[in-house]
Amino acid sequence: MLTLPVLVGVLLLAGGWSLADAKAPETTQELQKAKTYTVTSPPVAPLNIEMPQLPDLSGYTAAAVQAKIVRKPGGRVTVRRMLQQNALKDFIGGDNRMAEWVKRQRGIPQAIFIEGGYVNLSQLVSQLPKQFFRSSAPGVYLARLPIVVAAGATLHIDKQTEELRLSQERGAFLVNDGQLFVTDSKITAWREADNGPATFRKASEFRPFLLAWGGTETYIVNSTLTSFGYQTSKSYGVSISQYTPNMHKRMQRAKPSGWLIDSDFVDMYYGFYCYEARDVVIKGNTYRDNVVYGIDPHDRSHGLIIADNSVYGTQKKHGIIISREVNDSWIFNNRVYDNKLSGLVIDRNSVNNLIAFNEIYRNYSDGITVYESPDNLLWGNRIIGNRRHGIRVRNSVNIRMYENLSISNGLTGIYGHIKDLSDTDRNIALDPFDTEVSMQVVGGRLAGNGSGPLSIDSPLSVELYRVDLLAPTKSTGISFSGVLGERQEEILDLLVRQQKAVLIDPVERQAELQD
């Protein structure tokens, strides 16, 4: 085992490390000057927690989905106007949206409605005029109107369907207001002029999409969905969303749910989006080459399982992001890489989530980013070769990081900081925040990161225990710059030589705790 002087010599030769390598804003510098920090060794027992238990995924299978399908009674199919239909109000409100369908359908907008029971596509094609829905080859169908699955009805796009094509030119899309099953099949947003997928060209251009409303269940299994979505509310790609507040107040629908398992989502505007959903399972999928996000659960969704997915090639933003009170969820065993910004983001007061055993690498910003989201646990993640920080924590307290590997990232292995967001375009009433950061780092390894293993900007508290802190690539020498610079020898002595836990916190906070 290396002694403290030998370890320091190795770090000096290899490049040293810093607890505050990033320049702080003026307000932060003033806070730093006002605080006096102490370094102590707390009891280790509270830090030795059990590995968290992950949800059992064995029940989320294709067979389990098939068992949920009720095929009787048979449903009926009608075509009628889109006006005055609850499931379509979001898509015909206002002159612009109404004009979209008038232009594409060349008349008063209509939609296909499935009501009363079970329908598959072979039944659908037999009951509709060919100008609205037709088969161009065995198992290949083209929809030239929106399709609405009404409350109490079931649409099954099954393995007899080689491909369902939704016409971009004629404004087709899918709305689930009942139950939707897509099993062993393919759905493609279709550009008739090109006789091929409606590949992304610009954010404002309509592309077909799939939306499931409040009170619904949606199951997508062993299937491929391609080229959905554009930049308009509820039209992002594949979405599971509660009704808008005014509609929900009147309809009182339960939160929607669903399973998306072992499927491919390609060239979507958002690979997945949800709003006020519950217990959604996103398991074993591939999200590749999507435009803005791969997976994006949003406002007040909870109990989500996001596991065993591959998310890569997102062109504009993050691979996976949960944002605005997405709580009590599990994100584990995912591979997230080569995305334009961060690999995985926890954002806007999303709390009590477990982020575990993910492989997050080669993303163009941070590996894992935690913004204004306290009380989250990161366990056993492998965060390697991201261009900025391995793990970045901003304005978030009680972030517990156990057994993570943060290696060869461009800046810092773990970077914690505060930032005043009052002068940004953030809605403070909707998304409040505190300029405080605190964390526990237990076990794991921080090695070969460009600016050092660990940087903390004006922390409320930091606890370190059993952490391998190895050298960065920059040759700046060993240094705890900033408020902790004068205590670096004590920190290294406790953590490395004595192998004890280290607690770094302000004197002011200790006084508050004693009071």
Side-chain angles (χ1 to χ4, degrees):
M1 175 178 172
L2 294 177
T3 64
L4 179 60
V6 173
L7 176 64
V8 171
V10 170
L11 289 170
L12 280 166
L13 289 171
W17 63 288
S18 168
L19 274 177
D21 64 336
K23 184 177 180 181
E26 289 298 320
T27 53
T28 302
Q29 290 177 352
E30 291 168 5
L31 283 169
Q32 289 174 340
K33 290 175 183 177
K35 289 182 179 179
T36 301
Y37 285 82
T38 64
V39 177
T40 58
S41 182
V44 299
L47 297 174
N48 289 323
I49 65 174
E50 294 291 325
M51 186 177 77
Q53 185 173 356
L54 298 174
D56 181 5
L57 300 181
S58 62
Y60 302 111
T61 65
V65 169
Q66 288 289 339
K68 292 176 178 289
I69 302 173
V70 178
R71 291 173 167 81
K72 292 184 179 180
R76 60 184 180 274
V77 181
T78 61
V79 175
R80 60 175 179 269
R81 293 180 177 180
M82 293 172 64
L83 296 168
Q84 307 302 318
Q85 303 296 325
N86 287 333
L88 297 176
K89 282 186 180 298
D90 262 41
F91 310 117
I92 57 174
D95 293 339
N96 291 338
R97 298 213 80 177
M98 185 68 172
E100 182 83 59
W101 317 123
V102 170
K103 177 183 70 174
R104 292 181 182 278
Q105 294 189 23
R106 302 166 193 167
I108 297 174
Q110 300 182 96
I112 298 165
F113 289 83
I114 297 163
E115 300 170 314
Y118 174 95
V119 171
N120 61 24
L121 294 199
S122 62
Q123 295 167 318
L124 200 64
V125 76
S126 69
Q127 298 181 45
L128 288 171
K130 286 184 171 52
Q131 68 264 32
F132 299 146
F133 193 89
R134 66 171 182 253
S135 175
S136 58
V140 178
Y141 302 96
L142 176 67
R144 306 187 83 218
L145 289 180
I147 300 173
V148 179
V149 185
T154 298
L155 174 62
H156 187 190
I157 302 170
D158 58 17
K159 65 180 181 181
Q160 304 304 319
T161 303
E162 182 177 323
E163 186 174 23
L164 169 61
R165 298 168 175 173
L166 303 174
S167 171
Q168 179 184 37
E169 286 90 339
R170 298 302 294 249
F173 56 87
L174 266 171
V175 170
N176 178 24
D177 207 32
Q179 284 195 327
L180 173 64
F181 294 86
V182 183
T183 61
D184 304 287
S185 191
K186 183 177 184 179
I187 310 178
T188 305
W190 196 255
R191 186 170 294 137
E192 293 188 61
D194 296 344
N195 196 32
T199 51
F200 178 76
R201 294 190 291 207
K202 59 182 180 179
S204 60
E205 180 183 38
F206 167 83
R207 294 199 302 173
F209 56 87
L210 188 162
L211 169 67
W213 279 125
T216 67
E217 296 179 6
T218 301
Y219 300 91
I220 301 174
V221 187
N222 294 329
S223 296
T224 298
L225 283 74
T226 303
S227 298
F228 284 18
Y230 68 120
Q231 191 176 8
T232 304
S233 177
K234 312 297 184 184
S235 307
Y236 302 127
V238 172
S239 303
I240 297 178
S241 174
Q242 181 56 277
Y243 271 101
T244 53
N246 288 339
M247 290 283 289
H248 176 56
K249 187 181 295 184
R250 180 164 63 84
M251 299 180 71
Q252 292 297 305
R253 291 282 186 86
K255 289 188 173 184
S257 190
W259 300 356
L260 288 71
I261 57 179
D262 299 326
S263 295
D264 292 341
F265 299 88
V266 184
D267 184 38
M268 319 290 276
Y269 194 65
Y270 293 8
F272 174 81
Y273 173 85
C274 68
Y275 171 89
E276 293 188 351
R278 62 169 179 84
D279 303 330
V280 175
V281 177
I282 303 171
K283 168 186 167 287
N285 305 294
T286 296
Y287 290 85
R288 64 177 174 87
D289 301 330
N290 296 300
V291 179
V292 181
Y293 302 112
I295 300 173
D296 179 26
H298 232 276
D299 302 48
R300 296 172 295 283
S301 297
H302 66 268
L304 311 180
I305 295 175
I306 302 173
D308 295 338
N309 302 286
S310 293
V311 185
Y312 61 93
T314 302
Q315 298 166 30
K316 293 186 180 294
K317 294 190 178 181
H318 316 299
I320 300 174
I321 177 172
I322 63 174
S323 183
R324 192 172 289 135
E325 299 177 49
V326 178
N327 302 337
D328 307 310
S329 297
W330 298 267
I331 304 176
F332 61 97
N333 290 342
N334 300 286
R335 295 154 301 284
V336 189
Y337 58 97
D338 291 344
N339 297 291
K340 185 66 173 179
L341 293 180
S342 294
L344 195 160
V345 178
I346 313 300
D347 185 39
R348 299 186 189 230
N349 294 297
S350 295
V351 304
N352 197 32
N353 299 293
L354 173 62
I355 316 302
F357 306 114
N358 299 287
E359 296 183 3
I360 301 177
Y361 54 96
R362 293 201 314 258
N363 296 287
Y364 284 56
S365 185
D366 307 323
I368 297 177
T369 304
V370 182
Y371 282 160
E372 293 75 54
S373 293
D375 303 320
N376 289 292
L377 174 59
L378 282 58
W379 190 292
N381 300 285
R382 297 171 60 87
I383 306 153
I384 300 171
N386 300 284
R387 290 205 178 176
R388 293 186 61 77
H389 305 288
I391 301 172
R392 177 177 179 177
V393 179
R394 184 182 77 188
N395 296 342
S396 304
V397 297
N398 193 32
I399 303 302
R400 295 177 296 158
M401 291 176 263
Y402 278 69
E403 309 300 343
N404 298 286
L405 301 181
S406 185
I407 299 173
S408 298
N409 299 289
L411 296 178
T412 314
I414 297 174
Y415 175 44
H417 68 118
I418 62 173
K419 184 176 182 180
D420 187 352
L421 305 175
S422 301
D423 293 333
T424 68
D425 59 359
R426 186 184 186 92
N427 184 328
I428 303 301
L430 184 61
D431 298 311
F433 69 96
D434 293 315
T435 52
E436 295 178 337
V437 62
S438 70
M439 63 180 68
Q440 295 174 342
V441 183
V442 179
R445 173 171 291 184
L446 310 176
N449 296 290
S451 299
L454 187 62
S455 173
I456 309 295
D457 163 13
S458 196
L460 188 64
S461 71
V462 182
E463 288 183 271
L464 308 173
Y465 182 50
R466 294 192 294 101
V467 191
D468 286 340
L469 301 172
L470 303 181
T473 56
K474 289 183 180 178
S475 56
T476 53
I478 188 166
S479 172
F480 290 178
S481 57
V483 296
L484 302 180
E486 64 187 43
R487 317 310 295 271
Q488 70 176 46
E489 187 171 335
E490 295 171 72
I491 295 170
L492 286 175
D493 180 66
L494 287 170
L495 187 65
V496 179
R497 186 178 67 82
Q498 299 187 50
Q499 295 188 349
K500 292 183 177 181
V502 179
L503 171 62
I504 306 156
D505 65 348
V507 172
E508 293 87 341
R509 183 168 181 266
Q510 296 174 30
E512 290 172 5
L513 293 174
Q514 289 173 358
D515 292 342

